Amino acid sequence: MKIIYYTDQVYLHGGLERVLANKLNYFSENTDFELHVITFQQLDKSPCYAINNKVTFHDLNINYNRDISFLHPSNIKHAPKHYFRLKRKVKEIQPDVIVVCNYEFGFYFIPLISKKSIIIKEYHSSGHFNNLERLKNKNFLKKFKYKLSDYFEDKYDYLVLLTTDEQHYFKTNNTVVIPNAIHNIGSKAAELSNKRVISAGRIAPVKGFEYLITAWKMVVETCPEWTLDIYGDGDLAYIAQLKKQIETLDLKAHVCLKGATNDLENEMLKSSIYVMTSLTECFPMVFLEAMGCGLPILSFDSPNGPRHIIKHNEDGLLVEYLNSEALANSLVDVIQNPNKLKKLGIQAKKNVERLTDEHIMPQWLALFTK
């Protein structure tokens, strides 16, 4: 069986890139699939996560300006070139299955290009806020865009969603729910003795790190010996905003923006709590990785996402959405109760076993083969 995974790039650190690497490695090790990855803006860079050398990579070399909308005229002019290069590559490979991982021009091109392959669209984020915007929107052009998306979604054989909540946002009857999987749970677990809290992700406004820093100001008033390390890179303007906030709140000795790391697991093993303050998350891989390291997770109860992974008061804590004070109080509570901290961490490592490759990847195999 020939399978194409289509996405924009695989050189940046992110949840989608991690999920894709895990799937490719699993299929490489456990099947005889012929695996291809088509990107359109890899920029001659290596994948950020290790991927089995059995996988063949192809880049279309379409250099969009990623700082502006794909629908901006300076980007739209590249669309015809994108379409024809993608069409040629698909014709060359002649795949049995094409999996579209992201949401840009290729989402619309694939149903037009591929008439003989099974085509699958993976959704890696929640449709909650998009649905709210759609309900209140009265702009004609945006309404047309929504109808166009609905039309093309119906052309896919399957739309693969991460949670059952997400099915409510689709008008088609071709949805399937398959959660993310963790490729490997190591034998090591964090000792939970270091006075360090960790967070990680693309540094962008949607991740809500300003709420975390605000909460940390309250945490250090009670627990001044504890530190917060945030890993990731991204939006330079937002990073500058966070640095200014840290300085203004006099937290330079307590909060550090560490940049990206290729060994997040090791940093987790040296921490005692993982915290997330995203405005929206669906099924974040970083949760599975933190739980695999035996870290309890404290997270905002973002719409549709964390509650599908975290079992409140069993392996972590769900905190009122966007409430920094509630987050600070929960952090202090766990920090000051080491027995509770260890109990949550032990249970986190146990509970994440339900999301290993062994349990999740057969669902993908069944989808491909049926």
Side-chain angles (χ1 to χ4, degrees):
M1 182 181 292
K2 293 182 182 180
I3 299 178
I4 289 175
Y5 277 91
Y6 168 83
T7 188
D8 59 339
Q9 52 71 38
V10 290
Y11 69 86
L12 294 173
H13 290 80
L16 188 158
E17 291 77 16
R18 168 57 82 186
V19 169
L20 178 55
N22 288 353
K23 287 176 181 171
L24 292 169
N25 289 332
Y26 177 87
F27 292 136
S28 297
E29 296 161 8
N30 295 280
T31 73
D32 59 357
F33 293 167
E34 182 181 314
L35 298 165
H36 298 262
V37 175
I38 297 178
T39 55
F40 62 81
Q41 201 160 5
Q42 186 65 14
L43 304 179
D44 295 321
K45 297 183 179 181
S46 300
C48 59
Y49 300 110
I51 296 176
N52 193 296
N53 58 16
K54 294 179 182 178
V55 179
T56 304
F57 290 87
H58 316 263
D59 187 56
L60 304 179
N61 193 28
I62 313 294
N63 294 318
Y64 293 108
N65 182 347
R66 305 302 292 272
D67 294 327
I68 58 177
S69 169
F70 277 104
L71 298 178
H72 189 280
S74 63
N75 275 335
I76 288 179
K77 70 181 183 181
H78 296 297
K81 176 173 61 177
H82 188 165
Y83 173 84
F84 287 109
R85 288 184 183 179
L86 180 58
K87 184 176 182 178
R88 282 196 299 270
K89 186 58 66 175
V90 170
K91 185 177 180 180
E92 173 191 320
I93 297 171
Q94 297 186 0
D96 299 294
V97 179
I98 301 176
V99 184
V100 177
C101 299
N102 56 359
Y103 200 90
E104 35 63 46
F105 290 127
F107 164 76
Y108 303 98
F109 293 162
I110 291 295
L112 300 174
I113 289 170
S114 181
K115 302 299 183 181
K116 297 181 180 179
S117 307
I118 295 297
I119 56 174
I120 299 171
K121 173 70 181 83
E122 287 185 3
Y123 287 85
H124 290 269
S125 59
S126 175
H128 175 79
F129 290 103
N130 183 62
N131 185 61
L132 291 180
E133 183 180 339
R134 177 185 285 221
L135 291 174
K136 68 182 181 181
N137 177 65
K138 296 181 180 180
N139 181 281
F140 173 79
L141 289 177
K142 286 190 175 182
K143 283 185 177 180
F144 176 76
K145 179 186 174 184
Y146 294 140
K147 288 186 179 295
L148 193 65
S149 294
D150 292 341
Y151 173 81
F152 277 95
E153 283 169 354
D154 194 47
K155 299 303 177 186
Y156 280 82
D157 294 286
Y158 301 102
L159 307 178
V160 179
L161 316 177
L162 291 168
T163 72
T164 53
D165 285 345
E166 295 300 310
Q167 290 180 299
H168 304 305
Y169 305 133
F170 293 86
K171 298 181 180 181
T172 59
N173 61 359
N174 56 348
T175 60
V176 178
V177 175
I178 304 179
N180 287 334
I182 183 168
H183 189 54
N184 181 47
I185 300 176
S187 58
K188 295 181 180 179
E191 294 181 359
L192 307 183
S193 57
N194 291 329
K195 297 178 179 181
R196 182 199 197 205
V197 173
I198 188 173
S199 188
R202 181 169 51 91
I203 310 297
V206 71
K207 298 299 183 180
F209 288 117
E210 68 270 28
Y211 293 94
L212 175 54
I213 293 169
T214 297
W216 202 255
K217 176 65 175 178
M218 295 178 258
V219 170
V220 297
E221 292 173 359
T222 305
C223 310
E225 68 278 19
W226 279 70
T227 59
L228 168 66
D229 287 337
I230 300 172
Y231 284 86
D233 53 21
D235 187 324
L236 296 180
Y238 184 58
I239 292 172
Q241 174 191 323
L242 296 180
K243 287 181 176 178
K244 184 176 181 181
Q245 183 186 10
I246 291 168
E247 185 175 348
T248 301
L249 294 177
D250 194 23
L251 289 173
K252 293 179 74 173
H254 305 279
V255 180
C256 185
L257 301 179
K258 305 288 282 189
T261 175
N262 289 321
D263 194 3
L264 185 59
E265 179 183 1
N266 186 51
E267 299 302 332
M268 287 178 172
L269 290 170
K270 295 188 290 187
S271 305
S272 294
I273 299 170
Y274 187 89
V275 64
M276 179 174 277
T277 50
S278 294
L279 280 61
T280 176
E281 289 286 350
C282 198
F283 211 93
M285 272 302 299
V286 72
F287 273 15
L288 310 190
E289 293 165 351
M291 294 171 75
C293 290
L295 288 184
I297 297 174
L298 273 69
S299 172
F300 282 157
D301 190 11
S302 307
N304 296 347
R307 69 190 70 161
H308 287 275
I309 303 176
I310 298 172
K311 296 184 178 182
H312 182 63
N313 267 329
E314 182 177 321
D315 52 27
L317 298 177
L318 293 170
V319 180
E320 183 182 352
Y321 186 52
L322 304 186
N323 188 331
S324 292
E325 183 176 358
L327 178 63
N329 291 338
S330 294
L331 281 164
V332 170
D333 175 54
V334 175
I335 287 171
Q336 293 186 332
N337 290 277
N339 289 335
K340 181 177 183 178
L341 174 66
K342 290 185 181 295
K343 181 180 177 181
L344 292 172
I346 291 170
Q347 200 60 46
K349 195 167 181 69
K350 288 182 180 179
N351 286 354
V352 79
E353 290 178 2
R354 76 187 192 278
L355 296 169
T356 58
D357 282 346
E358 178 185 4
H359 294 97
I360 303 301
M361 295 309 291
Q363 298 176 49
W364 278 105
L365 291 171
L367 190 65
F368 290 158
T369 56
K370 82 174 184 180

